[in-house]
Amino acid sequence: MSKKRDYSVYLVTDRPLCAGRDLLRIIEEAVAGGATIVQLREKDATAREFFELARAAKDLLDRLGVPLIINDRVDVALAVDADGVHVGQKDLPYAEVRKMVGPHKIVGLSVDTVEQALSVPDLEVVPGDGGFGPDYLGVGPVFPTNTKKDTSEVWGLDKLAELRRQTHQKLVGIGGVYVGNAADVIRAGADGVAVVSAICAAESPKQATEELAAAVMLGRGLE
Amino acid sequence: MSKKRDYSVYLVTDRPLCAGRDLLRIIEEAVAGGATIVQLREKDATAREFFELARAAKDLLDRLGVPLIINDRVDVALAVDADGVHVGQKDLPYAEVRKMVGPHKIVGLSVDTVEQALSVPDLEVVPGDGGFGPDYLGVGPVFPTNTKKDTSEVWGLDKLAELRRQTHQKLVGIGGVYVGNAADVIRAGADGVAVVSAICAAESPKQATEELAAAVMLGRGLE
């Protein structure tokens, strides 16, 4: 089944933030609330744990028609035939990742600065081609955040807007995004917003995602 | 270049044990002293660090004609075109790894018990085929050790010998092996001995490897 590539409401999972709740249940609720894509991020799991979780998430998200992205571990992504992989500047180099997964998988790349974003090889790939450049760039942290320990300098909305003016690449804003600022992130030029704790730690992940999706629509003037 | 697959003197690296010395220099010395295969194990490195180190080690070991094995990260192994990969029971399942790397790469699998070793699917592959079963089994810890934090029950020489009687698989003994007991490990039926600190932490990695290689020959009655 071909899944729609829509980065609007991008859930990044973090099990320690789930307050002991079942991650698959949270994913299911988030998708019911409007999450358009899901990334599994497991920084402390063994490869076996990550694989088992990814396999279960893939089954679930195949039924729901939503793409599954694996953070960092390209081998886990390949093993479960995930829809894509997301890498940062401390992970495997983008070009190596693309070689491994081929032209049809989604590959997302985190960038720390405008300069870095613009220096990505073959960045301005023909939309929908996906054979050369990353399918989207993760831009962040847009706002200060405590979720990731190794975050670099905060982008702010102005830098995001500056990058928007200089690239046709799909941009996903991440870091400190929540219902209260998601519309601003979209207005600054992001194609979508990625959240971790705003969904994972929410009392109702479904309702939190609905509100976030509404904020994204608001940012696009489609309220 | 096709490299000889010889598990006799198997160096597993551990940078924290290198006392700040350059890992590539230690690998070079170990090969000069008789190491027949080298596994890079990097449990705390980022994927990017692991990749860069693996790429440099691959260049070095290609020149020296010695196989490079990557621990756990199949994606790093693929990215640098390593000669093989080693996985344990907490890493990706063997069958998934073999699918990813194909029939020609070396795949080693750690086993914790005789029962586990004998239950590995397609274990008794035709020697030299490599298309189905693991190319070798890592058996350990043979002796008590502090190098790995998550070690399971100690095998001892008797259990190793018991496994030897029940399989044709290549066996590599690891865990607490040093010049003083390496011959015993070979006599118990191992095809090779894997060491970490006995080489990495040695004052002279070259001399330590020479002594270990001599102990292996002694164990084979080829003194």
Side-chain angles (χ1 to χ4, degrees):
Chain A
M1 177 181 68
S2 182
K3 297 174 180 178
K4 191 178 169 199
R5 295 183 181 194
D6 179 348
Y7 307 106
S8 299
V9 183
Y10 190 139
L11 169 62
V12 179
T13 67
D14 188 320
R15 280 194 293 169
L17 287 177
C18 293
R21 296 177 297 181
D22 179 56
L23 188 63
L24 294 178
R25 177 80 189 139
I26 288 177
I27 290 173
E28 193 163 17
E29 279 201 42
V31 170
T36 56
I37 184 165
V38 176
Q39 176 189 138
L40 278 198
R41 189 165 75 188
E42 288 286 324
K43 286 302 187 191
D44 299 318
T46 66
R48 183 69 61 97
E49 289 166 345
F50 200 174
F51 167 76
E52 299 292 355
L53 190 62
R55 192 164 56 172
K58 179 65 168 31
D59 284 349
L60 173 62
L61 289 167
D62 278 356
R63 285 202 303 277
L64 301 173
V66 166
L68 170 68
I69 307 295
I70 299 296
N71 182 280
D72 177 17
R73 296 272 325 211
V74 181
D75 46 6
V76 171
L78 291 170
V80 305
D81 191 27
D83 303 287
V85 61
H86 185 93
V87 287
Q89 299 295 322
K90 293 179 179 173
D91 301 329
L92 287 171
Y94 168 74
E96 300 296 332
V97 175
R98 178 59 79 191
K99 265 189 267 176
M100 274 187 272
V101 303
H104 302 300
K105 298 271 188 205
I106 298 170
V107 182
L109 174 66
S110 292
V111 289
D112 300 328
T113 63
V114 172
E115 295 67 35
Q116 202 173 71
L118 297 177
S119 72
V120 172
D122 297 306
L123 184 68
E124 299 203 341
V125 63
V126 181
D129 176 338
F132 303 94
D135 293 277
Y136 70 88
L137 298 181
V139 174
V142 180
F143 305 107
T145 170
N146 290 319
T147 299
K148 283 185 77 181
K149 287 166 197 138
D150 62 340
T151 46
S152 23
E153 212 180 326
V154 170
W155 276 70
L157 294 169
D158 290 349
K159 282 277 176 196
L160 170 58
E162 183 188 329
L163 176 58
R164 174 74 296 162
R165 287 190 293 274
Q166 298 183 64
T167 180
H168 297 98
Q169 195 75 18
K170 296 277 187 194
L171 303 179
V172 178
I174 187 168
V177 178
Y178 75 113
V179 63
N181 59 24
D184 293 335
V185 176
I186 298 296
R187 286 188 198 104
D191 298 282
V193 293
V195 303
V196 188
S197 55
I199 291 178
C200 284
E203 196 179 334
S204 165
K206 179 168 181 287
Q207 189 184 329
T209 313
E210 285 170 348
E211 291 170 3
L212 201 67
V216 168
M217 296 303 273
L218 180 67
R220 289 177 182 157
L222 300 171
E223 189 179 8
Chain B
M1 178 181 66
S2 182
K3 296 174 179 177
K4 192 178 167 197
R5 294 183 179 194
D6 178 349
Y7 306 106
S8 300
V9 183
Y10 189 139
L11 169 63
V12 179
T13 69
D14 188 320
R15 279 194 293 168
L17 287 179
C18 293
R21 294 177 298 180
D22 179 58
L23 188 62
L24 294 178
R25 176 79 188 140
I26 288 177
I27 290 172
E28 195 164 14
E29 278 200 45
V31 171
T36 57
I37 184 165
V38 176
Q39 176 188 139
L40 278 197
R41 188 164 76 189
E42 289 286 323
K43 287 300 185 192
D44 300 318
T46 66
R48 183 69 62 96
E49 289 167 343
F50 200 174
F51 166 76
E52 299 291 355
L53 189 62
R55 191 163 56 172
K58 178 67 164 37
D59 284 348
L60 173 63
L61 289 167
D62 278 356
R63 284 202 305 277
L64 300 174
V66 166
L68 170 69
I69 307 295
I70 299 296
N71 181 280
D72 178 18
R73 296 270 326 211
V74 181
D75 46 6
V76 171
L78 290 171
V80 305
D81 190 27
D83 303 287
V85 62
H86 184 94
V87 288
Q89 300 294 323
K90 294 180 178 174
D91 301 327
L92 287 171
Y94 168 75
E96 300 296 333
V97 175
R98 178 59 79 190
K99 263 190 266 175
M100 274 188 271
V101 303
H104 301 300
K105 298 268 190 208
I106 298 169
V107 182
L109 174 67
S110 292
V111 290
D112 299 329
T113 63
V114 171
E115 295 67 34
Q116 203 174 70
L118 296 177
S119 72
V120 172
D122 297 306
L123 183 69
E124 299 203 344
V125 61
V126 182
D129 177 336
F132 303 95
D135 293 277
Y136 69 89
L137 298 181
V139 174
V142 180
F143 304 105
T145 169
N146 290 318
T147 299
K148 282 185 79 182
K149 288 165 196 137
D150 61 340
T151 45
S152 25
E153 211 179 327
V154 169
W155 277 69
L157 294 170
D158 289 349
K159 282 277 178 198
L160 171 58
E162 183 187 330
L163 175 58
R164 174 75 295 161
R165 287 191 292 273
Q166 298 184 64
T167 180
H168 297 100
Q169 195 75 16
K170 295 277 187 193
L171 303 179
V172 177
I174 187 168
V177 178
Y178 75 113
V179 64
N181 59 24
D184 293 335
V185 176
I186 297 296
R187 286 188 198 106
D191 298 282
V193 292
V195 303
V196 188
S197 55
I199 290 178
C200 284
E203 196 180 333
S204 165
K206 179 169 181 287
Q207 189 184 329
T209 313
E210 284 169 348
E211 291 170 3
L212 201 66
V216 168
M217 296 302 272
L218 180 67
R220 290 179 182 155
L222 299 170
E223 191 179 5

